[in-house]
């Protein structure tokens, strides 16, 4: 059973990578020039490790040659030292440029995605916001606007390290192809471990979305100027604090158990990679002592192997994080796939001024997943210019009636007419532009 779960986890993570092209399409739309600049800088940076290692090899061999000969022309030595200095400075400049572009592009992407979420949410129907399943999707989508810039950097770093590994692999293959095989076999266990635990981490975070939303709600109402009077007058502080502590402690324990297992297995599996590196290192040392390769070549091969081992380990671990991030991307794209059910036919423009008024014809309405009608067989006519007061108990349907009037809801049965024409025939935007509503529970949006 555990093996099947791990296979499904790996399959899910590979499947989630299909979200990356759409993700980078959004990044490309955010800023084409920054995206191109970032890729170009990373391509240049990927070739530097091999160049630095090779120059270091030449320096060591030249130093040993001068020591053995006792005297000689050291111009080549200082040339190599100057080149290594230039490469080190150039590498630092590239790193700073990449970090700058990552930061700026990440901020732009976060802002652009937030704007898309705001605009898309405004298109959706009111009843969707009252559905807990939808609200969980919205909450997960909102969380993707801030963390996905990290995913962008991870994917680009993966691409950069892959190019660097190709360069370094050339040097190792020329010496002994078996070193590459040892390297790959050493990092596979760690990769599988990271994949396993990343999948469980994603499952835990996703399954706890309602509870995390509850924690945010409790944190807000427990310390807010809008709720302070109710908290004080009804002595709710202990209730809210205890409820928050109960939910947060359960989430902490679940997350702690996963984190401890991940740390323990991660330490064991990563140690396998360390042993493999030193096994290859011993082999290279023996070759050097036997006179088969020079000391400079020793440093070059050991450095290349060490770099490749670290990069492959990092790529394997980063792949799991990328796949996990791609799984979260699905939440964002699922939200953008949601469509409103209340659509505008735009067959009629809103009448200015209204001539006859509004007519309700046997209108009935019940909320989603409810068996009871909020309004049942309601018929009346509201003349243009007429004032009408709706009086009734809480839950009698007064607010529902007003929402139906603005097409925030659609009648379950019956129809609503404006100047004798079905409300659904009018432009939805014009209808809401010409209907002003202040709800009993309103929200004052500040004008900054």
């Amino acid at each position: 059973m555990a093996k099947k779960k791990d296979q499904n986890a790996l399959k899910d993570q590979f499947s989630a990578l299909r979200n990356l092209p759409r993700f980078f399409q959004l990044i490309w739309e955010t800023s084409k020039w920054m995206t191109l600049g970032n890729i170009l800088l990373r391509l240049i940076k990927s070739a530097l490790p091999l160049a630095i290692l090779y120059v270091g090899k030449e320096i060591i061999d030249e130093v040993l040659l001068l020591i053995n000969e006792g005297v000689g022309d050291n111009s080549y030595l200082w040339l190599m030292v100057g080149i290594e200095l230039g490469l080190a400075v150039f590498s630092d400049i590239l790193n700073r440029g990449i970090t700058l572009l990552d930061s700026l592009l990440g901020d732009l992407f976060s802002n652009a995605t937030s704007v898309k979420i705001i605009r898309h949410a405004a298109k959706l129907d009111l009843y969707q916001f009252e559905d807990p399943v939808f609200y969980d999707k919205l909450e997960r989508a909102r969380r993707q606007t801030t963390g996905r810039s990290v995913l962008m950097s991870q994917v680009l770093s993966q691409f950069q390290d892959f190019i660097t590994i190709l360069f370094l692999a050339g040097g190792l293959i020329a010496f002994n192809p078996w070193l590459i095989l040892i390297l790959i076999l050493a990092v596979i266990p760690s990769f599988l471990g990271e994949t396993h635990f990343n999948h469980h981490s994603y499952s835990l975070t996703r399954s706890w979305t309602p509870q995390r939303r509850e924690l945010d709600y409790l944190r807000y109402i427990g310390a807010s100027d809008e709720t302070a009077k109710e908290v004080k007058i009804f002595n709710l502080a202990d209730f809210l604090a205890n409820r928050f502590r109960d939910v947060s402690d359960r989430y902490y324990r679940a997350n702690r158990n996963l984190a401890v297992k991940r740390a323990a297995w991660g330490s064991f599996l990563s140690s396998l990679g360390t042993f493999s590196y030193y096994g290859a290192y011993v082999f290279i040392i023996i070759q050097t002592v036997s006179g088969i390769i020079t000391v400079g070549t020793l440093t070059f091969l050991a450095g290349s192997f060490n770099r490749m081992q670290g990069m492959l380990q990092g790529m394997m671990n980063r792949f799991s994080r990328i796949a996990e991030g791609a799984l979260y991307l699905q939440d964002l794209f699922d939200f953008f796939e949601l469509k409103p059910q209340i659509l505008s036919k735009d067959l009629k423009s809103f009448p200015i001024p209204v001539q006859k008024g509004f007519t309700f014809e046997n209108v009935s309405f019940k909320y989603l997943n409810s068996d009871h009608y909020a309004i049942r067989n309601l018929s009346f006519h509201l003349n243009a210019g007429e004032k009408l007061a709706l009086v009734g108990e809480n839950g009698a349907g007064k607010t529902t009636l007003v929402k139906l009037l603005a097409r925030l809801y659609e009648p379950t049965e019956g129809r609503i007419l404006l100047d004798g024409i079905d409300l659904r025939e009018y432009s939805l935007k014009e209808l809401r532009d010409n209907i002003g509503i202040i709800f009993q529970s309103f929200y004052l949006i500040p004008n900054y």
Side-chain angles (χ1 to χ4, degrees):
M1 181 66 70
K3 182 179 180 181
K4 185 175 181 180
K5 285 184 178 179
D6 288 344
Q7 290 174 345
N8 290 336
L10 189 60
K11 182 179 178 182
D12 290 343
Q13 294 203 7
F14 274 107
S15 178
L17 297 180
R18 293 179 297 180
N19 294 322
L20 292 180
R22 187 174 176 184
F23 172 61
F24 272 91
Q25 178 64 32
L26 293 176
I27 294 175
W28 177 259
E29 293 172 357
T30 300
S31 176
K32 297 180 178 63
W33 293 112
M34 282 192 184
T35 305
L36 284 174
N38 201 325
I39 293 173
L40 179 61
L41 291 182
R42 288 178 181 275
L43 277 174
I44 299 172
K45 181 71 170 60
S46 64
L48 290 184
L50 179 65
I52 292 174
L53 285 170
Y54 182 79
V55 171
K57 166 196 171 300
E58 291 293 294
I59 290 173
I60 291 175
D61 282 343
E62 187 68 14
V63 168
L64 291 174
L65 180 64
L66 291 173
I67 291 174
N68 292 331
E69 292 182 354
V71 65
D73 184 9
N74 58 10
S75 59
Y76 182 71
L77 171 64
W78 297 119
L79 173 62
M80 290 295 102
V81 171
I83 292 175
E84 187 175 66
L85 174 62
L87 290 174
V89 172
F90 187 45
S91 178
D92 181 66
I93 293 173
L94 287 176
N95 281 334
R96 293 180 183 276
I98 290 170
T99 302
L100 175 62
L101 287 177
D102 277 355
S103 175
L104 296 178
L105 190 55
D107 288 344
L108 285 177
F109 175 76
S110 177
N111 295 341
T113 307
S114 296
V115 169
K116 288 175 70 72
I117 288 177
I118 291 171
R119 293 190 182 278
H120 188 70
K123 297 177 182 177
L124 300 177
D125 299 327
L126 183 61
Y127 80 88
Q128 291 173 292
F129 287 85
E130 297 164 349
D131 180 10
V133 175
F134 163 83
Y135 213 80
D136 286 343
K137 287 185 179 180
L138 175 59
E139 178 66 17
R140 288 193 292 265
R142 275 199 296 244
R143 290 178 182 270
Q144 304 318 306
T145 60
T146 55
R148 295 315 99 193
S149 58
V150 176
L151 177 62
M152 175 198 70
S153 180
Q154 288 173 339
V155 174
L156 291 175
S157 295
Q158 196 83 329
F159 166 74
Q160 176 185 327
D161 286 354
F162 177 73
I163 300 298
T164 300
I165 284 174
L166 291 181
F167 283 116
L168 295 174
L172 287 181
I173 291 174
F175 170 69
N176 194 324
W178 288 105
L179 292 176
I180 299 294
L181 181 60
I182 294 173
L183 202 57
I184 294 174
L185 291 177
V187 297
I188 287 177
S190 180
F191 166 67
L192 293 177
E194 286 296 315
T195 300
H196 171 79
F197 285 107
N198 275 337
H199 177 76
H200 282 279
S201 177
Y202 170 77
S203 298
L204 176 67
T205 303
R206 185 180 180 88
S207 63
W208 277 78
T209 298
Q211 288 85 350
R212 287 189 291 109
R213 190 154 51 85
E214 180 183 357
L215 290 175
D216 289 340
Y217 176 70
L218 290 170
R219 188 183 296 109
Y220 171 74
I221 64 175
S224 169
D225 61 334
E226 296 183 9
T227 59
K229 56 185 182 298
E230 284 83 2
V231 171
K232 288 180 177 296
I233 199 68
F234 295 111
N235 295 317
L236 295 175
D238 288 341
F239 169 77
L240 295 174
N242 291 336
R243 177 60 182 168
F244 184 91
R245 183 172 57 237
D246 176 61
V247 177
S248 61
D249 283 352
R250 283 191 285 117
Y251 181 64
Y252 166 77
R253 287 192 294 270
N255 193 52
R256 179 194 61 191
N257 293 337
L258 181 62
V260 170
K261 290 180 181 178
R262 185 173 195 163
W265 278 102
S267 298
F268 169 73
L269 295 173
S270 64
S271 65
L272 296 179
T274 303
F275 281 115
S276 70
Y277 166 70
Y278 278 95
Y281 191 40
V282 168
F283 176 73
I284 297 171
I285 290 174
I286 292 173
Q287 296 289 304
T288 306
V289 173
S290 302
I292 298 174
I293 60 175
T294 66
V295 176
T297 304
L298 164 68
T299 60
F300 173 76
L301 292 174
S304 297
F305 193 88
N306 189 27
R307 285 278 188 113
M308 286 188 68
Q309 190 261 345
M311 284 186 172
L312 275 174
Q313 187 81 37
M315 285 184 66
M316 294 296 188
N317 295 339
R318 195 187 297 124
F319 169 80
S320 297
R321 294 196 297 272
I322 289 172
E324 181 184 8
L327 283 170
Y328 286 109
L329 275 178
Q330 191 61 50
D331 297 326
L332 180 66
F333 296 145
D334 283 347
F335 175 75
F336 286 137
E337 292 298 324
L338 294 173
K339 304 296 181 185
Q341 299 299 314
I342 299 177
L343 303 174
S344 178
K345 293 184 179 179
D346 293 331
L347 297 178
K348 296 286 184 179
S349 296
F350 190 89
I352 302 177
V354 174
Q355 300 295 325
K356 300 178 182 178
F358 290 91
T359 303
F360 279 59
E361 292 185 350
N362 297 317
V363 172
S364 299
F365 177 81
K366 60 180 177 181
Y367 287 93
L368 185 68
N369 300 324
S370 174
D371 296 328
H372 302 287
Y373 281 90
I375 294 175
R376 187 66 169 165
N377 294 328
L378 178 64
S379 297
F380 72 94
H381 180 73
L382 177 62
N383 293 309
E386 183 180 0
K387 296 179 181 179
L388 179 66
L390 302 174
V391 180
E393 299 177 349
N394 288 339
K398 304 183 297 298
T399 303
T400 302
L401 187 149
V402 174
K403 291 177 180 177
L404 288 167
L405 198 66
R407 283 198 75 197
L408 295 174
Y409 295 145
E410 293 278 44
T412 306
E413 300 170 3
R415 61 177 187 161
I416 304 173
L417 308 177
L418 172 59
D419 282 356
I421 299 173
D422 195 310
L423 211 59
R424 288 170 289 195
E425 302 295 319
Y426 290 102
S427 164
L428 189 60
K429 182 180 183 303
E430 291 185 15
L431 173 67
R432 291 175 181 169
D433 283 346
N434 285 278
I435 293 181
I437 303 173
I438 299 178
F439 293 103
Q440 180 178 358
S441 298
F442 64 91
Y443 186 84
L444 181 62
I445 300 176
N447 182 20
Y448 294 107

